[in-house]
Amino acid sequence: MRVHIGSDHAGYELKGALVALLKADGHEVIDHGPAQLDPEDDYPTFCIPAALAVTRDAGSLGIVLGGSGNGEQIAANKVRGVRAALAYDVETAQLAREHNNANVISLGARKLDEQQAAEIIRTFLATEFSAAPRHAHRIALLDQYEATGTLPGQD
């Protein structure tokens, strides 16, 4: 699987470890930066391009990293077609894929150690969307809102 990844300075070290892990697991990794540690960098600069790449690369998934993962998730979700989920354990990663068909996962590098992050990422990448009618309906509602700015029954 092709995986797009981006972080800020707070996620820089964990990003490097995850890139190595993903490559060892046989994934193709596209690193959207940063290429070097800069304590003054800004997460949108790297997380938005990673998220955008996911929307342009059918079948790929994305990972965004920062201190808490919150800002990175928000940045990724600004990209039309992205459903980014903040995951803090294996269960939230699994549910993000199964129920929400998330295509980008956000992690807090200051909240997880490398082993926890690896388990979360592996779960996210291995889990498929359930396609259960109730979940598919909810995704369709999100897609409709993103496209039109309205939901059924709204004036």
Side-chain angles (χ1 to χ4, degrees):
M1 173 177 294
R2 194 164 21 260
V3 179
H4 295 274
I5 191 168
S7 73
D8 68 355
H9 56 278
Y12 179 79
E13 188 176 320
L14 181 58
K15 179 178 67 80
L18 291 176
V19 166
L21 171 87
L22 290 166
K23 287 181 178 180
D25 285 353
H27 298 288
E28 179 183 352
V29 182
I30 312 298
D31 188 343
H32 294 269
Q36 59 191 28
L37 181 61
D38 175 0
E40 299 298 317
D41 68 13
D42 300 307
Y43 60 83
T45 305
F46 308 105
C47 295
I48 289 175
L52 186 59
V54 170
T55 67
R56 295 178 175 171
D57 186 6
S60 69
L61 293 173
I63 302 166
V64 293
L65 305 156
S68 69
N70 283 314
E72 296 73 26
Q73 176 197 26
I74 292 167
N77 277 318
K78 295 296 181 185
V79 176
R80 185 179 297 269
V82 167
R83 287 178 303 283
L86 177 64
Y88 46 85
D89 60 21
V90 168
E91 183 181 20
T92 54
Q94 181 178 353
L95 291 172
R97 290 287 297 139
E98 282 181 354
H99 293 192
N100 309 115
N101 200 14
N103 52 6
V104 173
I105 191 169
S106 184
L107 300 179
R110 293 180 178 148
K111 304 298 180 187
L112 303 166
D113 64 33
E114 190 176 315
Q115 181 180 347
Q116 292 169 315
E119 290 173 6
I120 290 168
I121 293 302
R122 284 178 168 145
T123 298
F124 182 77
L125 297 178
T127 304
E128 296 289 329
F129 177 50
S130 75
R134 67 188 177 120
H135 300 309
H137 174 71
R138 293 167 185 159
I139 299 304
L141 289 171
L142 293 172
D143 290 344
Q144 177 183 337
Y145 186 80
E146 188 172 62
T148 66
T150 64
L151 291 170
Q154 290 185 331
D155 295 323

